[in-house]
């Protein structure tokens, strides 16, 4: 999917202006979700067949027209004012947008629509907004997400084997059948293997690209429907469901009922993020600073930047100064301390250069910064290797704003044994490590055992006078990896008031096959079942190998909330998951240091 700083990203005005717009839009909105419909353009007029908006209204949503004038600067306000998108029918797409020359069978194109709708579709897809593409709309969806379109079915060498797709029957009259894949979302909507549809097109989807899959086919093999491979509520169909409700003797086709339901969930998710502070407790984006990543720009190299956080309605991330385990000689330890200091200073500089972000160290600072319409950013250290053998570095790092230190990474250090690449040289936490933990308690820094070995975990639990955290973790019961937490560890963590944050790293979610957002949901559910809702949260590990299909970047966070709402998590639950629990521990640790 095209995704760069130039043509794919709308202009992002400052976040205070954005949040003010959101608050105004959502506070004034009725309880019915709002669905935007793209309009055709002809004879200097924006046009929309009434069957589209009647179907949306009959499904229980409010239809609004999106005129075909949208520029990059208009995309964000347009998307913030709606809860779902319908890409309507119309003229052919200019093949130049697909890096192709026009074929003989190409008909009229609509230059007013193409660029705007391709930008709109990409932006809606990135944030997980529900989308329904109809006729031209399925082709727009495909073109926007790096698939390709057959310019004219009749011009293909095998045209003589195709059924007639361009009918002149009334639009509410079925004209052929389609076969629906049994494992598809579309099948769950219609509940049938075959349905009758109408067909009025001479173009069709060619290849679907990485983000879509073909899920319905005409008898001649032409693709009749696509849906998201990324577990997003996105469907494109070649027929016209806005008319099929008439034939079915219902007020609306099931596709519009589905879309309205998804729009309602998305609206609730975005409204939740607007009203509450949302926190991701671990990302490794500072590792990309040396590659020229600018937090204020949407950059394809980064999974977390301020623009993706805007798209996912995510307020806060804790950026880690990550250190791989290196030599433990005096020279190696000195270099590790210096490197951690350099990275922490770089985080400060990058945030200072962003007009809509600010550094925070306490929960109260975090909330105050959000109230000013800005993104609060916090700092952590991943690998206590950074401390060296100098206990005074703990208090020095606290003075630099560090909120937690992960005691080790992959490999033992002077503090404790690791869960990975371990020699078990200390048998858990070392004598020096005990001093470090006690000094962290005194300095207001949370103890993070995300990479610690099992004995190190229990030793730290005994040594620390305060709750500990696992800033990015997964469940051993679902993925038997030594890095993951056992159920006994989860219960012990909960008894002491700590928190385990579910991570989105594929290797900790699933050992075989491709991990997806469904695995992340399963691990979160398991954490809740075993530890309780008061002891779980989210620590993505984005830009540190975190990110799976359906949870690919910070852009997907509000869509993840919509999935949690679908699973019947309450808003009170969500407040705890999205940072309430983690900030409770942070506050307790910082309060104890102030005594």
């Amino acid at each position: 999917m095209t995704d760069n700083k130039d043509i794919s990203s709308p202009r992002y005005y400052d976040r205070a202006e954005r949040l003010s717009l959101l608050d105004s839009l959502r506070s004034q909105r009725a309880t019915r979700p709002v669905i935007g419909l793209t309009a055709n353009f002809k004879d200097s007029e924006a046009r929309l067949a009434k069957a589209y908006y009647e179907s949306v209204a009959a499904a229980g949503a409010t239809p609004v027209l999106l005129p075909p004038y949208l520029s990059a600067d208009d995309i964000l306000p347009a998307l913030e004012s709606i809860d779902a998108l319908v890409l309507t029918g119309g003229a052919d797409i200019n093949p130049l947008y697909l890096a192709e020359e026009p074929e003989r069978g190409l008909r009229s194109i609509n230059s007013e629509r193409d660029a705007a709708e391709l930008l709109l579709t990409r932006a809606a897809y990135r944030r997980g907004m529900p989308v329904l593409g109809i006729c031209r709309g399925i082709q727009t969806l495909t073109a926007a997400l790096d698939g390709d379109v057959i310019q004219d079915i009749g011009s293909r060498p095998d045209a003589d084997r195709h059924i007639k797709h361009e009918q002149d029957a009334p639009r509410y009259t079925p004209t052929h059948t389609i076969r629906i894949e049994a494992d598809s979302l579309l099948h769950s909507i219609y509940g049938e293997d075959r349905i009758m549809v109408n067909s009025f097109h001479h173009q069709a989807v060619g290849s679907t690209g990485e983000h879509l899959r073909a899920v319905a086919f005409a008898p001649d093999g032409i693709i009749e429907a696509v849906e998201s491979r990324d577990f997003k509520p996105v469907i494109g169909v070649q027929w016209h469901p806005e008319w099929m409700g008439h034939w079915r003797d219902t007020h609306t086709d099931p596709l519009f009922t589905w879309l309205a339901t998804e729009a309602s969930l998305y609206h609730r998710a975005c409204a939740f993020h607007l009203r509450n502070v949302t926190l991701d407790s671990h990302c490794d984006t500072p590792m990309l600073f040396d590659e020229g990543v600018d937090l204020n720009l949407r950059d394809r190299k980064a999974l977390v930047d301020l623009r993706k956080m805007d798209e996912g309605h995510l307020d806060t991330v804790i950026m880690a100064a990550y250190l791989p385990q290196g030599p433990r000689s005096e020279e190696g330890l000195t270099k590790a301390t210096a490197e951690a200091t350099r990275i922490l200073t770089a985080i400060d500089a990058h945030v200072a250069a962003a007009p809509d972000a600010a550094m925070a160290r306490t929960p109260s600072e975090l909330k105050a910064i959000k109230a000013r319409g800005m993104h609060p950013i916090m700092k952590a250290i991943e690998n206590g290797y950074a401390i060296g053998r100098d206990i005074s570095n703990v208090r020095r790092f606290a003075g630099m704003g560090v909120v937690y230190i992960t005691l080790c990474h992959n490999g033992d250090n002077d503090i404790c044994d690791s869960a990975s690449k371990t020699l078990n040289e200390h048998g858990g936490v070392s004598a020096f490590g005990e001093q470090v933990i006690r000094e962290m308690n005194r300095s207001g820094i949370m103890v993070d055992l995300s990479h610690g070995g099992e004995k190190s975990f229990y030793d730290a639990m005994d040594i620390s006078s305060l709750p500990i955290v696992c800033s990015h973790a997964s469940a051993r019961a679902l993925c038997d990896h030594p890095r993951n937490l056992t159920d006994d560890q989860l219960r012990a963590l909960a008894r002491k008031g700590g928190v385990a944050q579910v991570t989105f790293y594929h290797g900790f979610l699933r050992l075989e096959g491709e991990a997806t957002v469904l695995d992340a949901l399963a691990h979160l559910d398991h954490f809740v079942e075993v530890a309780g809702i008061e002891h779980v949260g989210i620590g993505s590990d984005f830009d540190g190998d975190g990110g799976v299909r359906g949870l690919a970047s910070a852009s997907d966070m509000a869509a993840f909330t919509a999935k949690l709402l679908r699973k019947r998590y309450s808003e009170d639950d969500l407040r705890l998951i999205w940072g309430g629990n983690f900030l409770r521990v942070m506050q307790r640790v910082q309060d104890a240091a102030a005594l």
Side-chain angles (χ1 to χ4, degrees), residues 309-350:
M309 291 172 70
D310 283 343
E311 291 170 351
H313 298 282
L314 176 66
D315 293 311
T316 308
V317 291
I318 301 179
M319 293 191 173
Y322 161 68
L323 299 176
Q325 186 57 48
R328 288 157 58 189
S329 62
E330 288 302 321
E331 180 183 7
L333 295 171
T334 299
K335 286 183 177 179
T337 302
E339 178 65 3
T341 301
R342 183 191 72 81
I343 298 171
L344 293 171
T345 302
I347 295 172
D348 289 335
H350 276 260

Side-chain angles (χ1 to χ4, degrees), residues 294-312:
D294 183 337
L295 290 179
N296 205 47
L297 297 175
R298 188 174 215 289
D299 195 299
R300 74 181 75 188
K301 292 190 291 291
L303 303 185
V304 176
D305 55 46
L306 298 178
R307 304 292 67 89
K308 295 183 182 72
M309 291 172 70
D310 283 343
E311 291 170 351

Side-chain angles (χ1 to χ4, degrees), residues 399-416:
M400 295 185 72
V402 170
V403 296
Y404 68 77
I405 296 176
T406 313
L407 294 189
C408 63
H409 194 253
N410 294 333
D412 305 340
N413 60 19
D414 286 286
I415 296 172
C416 67

Side-chain angles (χ1 to χ4, degrees), residues 458-476:
Y458 285 112
D459 285 353
M461 291 280 291
D462 290 338
I463 295 165
S464 179
S465 60
L466 296 163
I468 69 170
V469 299
C470 292
S471 66
H472 53 303
S474 297
R476 185 92 62 92

